Amino acid sequence: PKWIKKDLLDQVKNTLDYLYAESGEQPILLIDESHLLKEIILDEIRLMTNIHFNTKKAITIILIGHTQLQKMISLSINDSIKCRVGISYHISSFNSQETNKYIKFRCGAAGNKTPPFTDDALITIHQLSKGVTKTINKIVNLSLLCGYNKNEKIITGEIVQSITNEL
C-alpha cells in the first residue's frame, strides 16, 4: 500500500535527519551489485535523492555494478535517475600484465611474496578470467585449493585448466 511507502520514506528522512544532526556528516548509502536492481527500485532510490537539509543533500548514494548498470541507467525510462548521477566510472578488465600484478599483490597481501603460479598458469588464469577481478579471484582460489588437494606446491596451467568445470 502507498501509505506504507510514505511511512518508510518518512522513517528514512527522520533517520538521515538524526544522523546529520548528531555528526554533521553526510551519510552514504553504498549498493553493490546494483545492476541487479529493478527500475522500480531505482526510482525509489531516486526519491531518496530528493531529501535535503537546508540546501545540502541528505545522502550520497553510490551504485556499484557491472556494465549493465550503465546501460540500465541510460534507458529513457530512467532519465530521472540519470540526471542525478554526479560521477560515472567504468573499471576496465585487466590486460595479462595487470592480471599478473594483481595476483602477485593478492598473494603478497596473504603473506606469500612469491606467487606459486607458473607462467603458464598465469596465462591460463588471464585467458579464463578475461581480466575480470572477481573471476580472477575465483580461479586463483579454486586453483590453490586444487593444488593443495593434489599436494602440489606449484600451480601449473594444467591445474588451473582442471578447475574450469567449477566456474
Side-chain angles (χ1 to χ4, degrees):
K2 290 185 178 184
W3 59 271
I4 292 176
K5 179 176 166 181
K6 184 192 178 316
D7 288 345
L8 288 173
L9 280 173
D10 286 343
Q11 287 178 12
V12 168
K13 185 178 182 325
N14 291 339
T15 301
L16 292 173
D17 190 24
Y18 172 78
L19 290 171
Y20 182 73
E22 284 291 312
S23 68
E25 294 180 4
Q26 186 171 9
I28 297 174
L29 172 63
L30 185 116
I31 304 173
D32 196 10
E33 302 291 341
S34 296
H35 58 281
L36 300 174
L37 296 174
K38 305 240 183 285
E39 275 90 10
I40 193 162
I41 301 299
L42 276 176
D43 196 51
E44 299 296 328
I45 292 167
R46 179 196 59 80
L47 288 175
M48 291 175 59
T49 66
N50 291 335
I51 303 171
H52 291 78
F53 299 125
N54 299 326
T55 59
K56 188 175 181 181
K57 292 247 182 219
I59 190 167
T60 297
I61 300 172
I62 300 174
L63 303 176
I64 300 172
H66 296 188
T67 52
Q68 298 97 300
L69 176 63
Q70 283 182 316
K71 292 175 186 171
M72 188 168 56
I73 289 175
S74 69
L75 296 174
S76 61
I77 193 169
N78 295 319
D79 278 346
S80 57
I81 196 153
K82 183 169 46 173
C83 294
R84 288 170 172 81
V85 173
I87 299 172
S88 176
Y89 187 76
H90 174 75
I91 298 174
S92 301
S93 301
F94 290 157
N95 62 34
S96 62
Q97 185 179 6
E98 291 167 329
T99 298
N100 294 351
K101 283 183 181 179
Y102 177 71
I103 293 169
K104 186 175 183 177
F105 169 79
R106 298 244 328 158
C107 288
N112 189 347
K113 292 185 171 116
T114 308
F117 297 94
T118 64
D119 289 343
D120 186 44
L122 293 170
I123 291 168
T124 305
I125 292 168
H126 179 71
Q127 288 171 341
L128 291 172
S129 70
K130 297 180 177 86
V132 176
T133 54
K134 282 187 177 184
T135 310
I136 293 168
N137 294 341
K138 187 174 184 178
I139 292 169
V140 166
N141 290 343
L142 288 171
S143 297
L144 289 168
L145 186 61
C146 182
Y148 174 79
N149 285 336
K150 293 180 177 185
N151 267 341
E152 297 288 342
K153 294 192 186 308
I154 301 296
I155 306 301
T156 63
E158 185 180 315
I159 291 172
V160 174
Q161 198 65 46
S162 74
I163 60 95
T164 56
N165 291 337
E166 303 296 322
L167 297 178

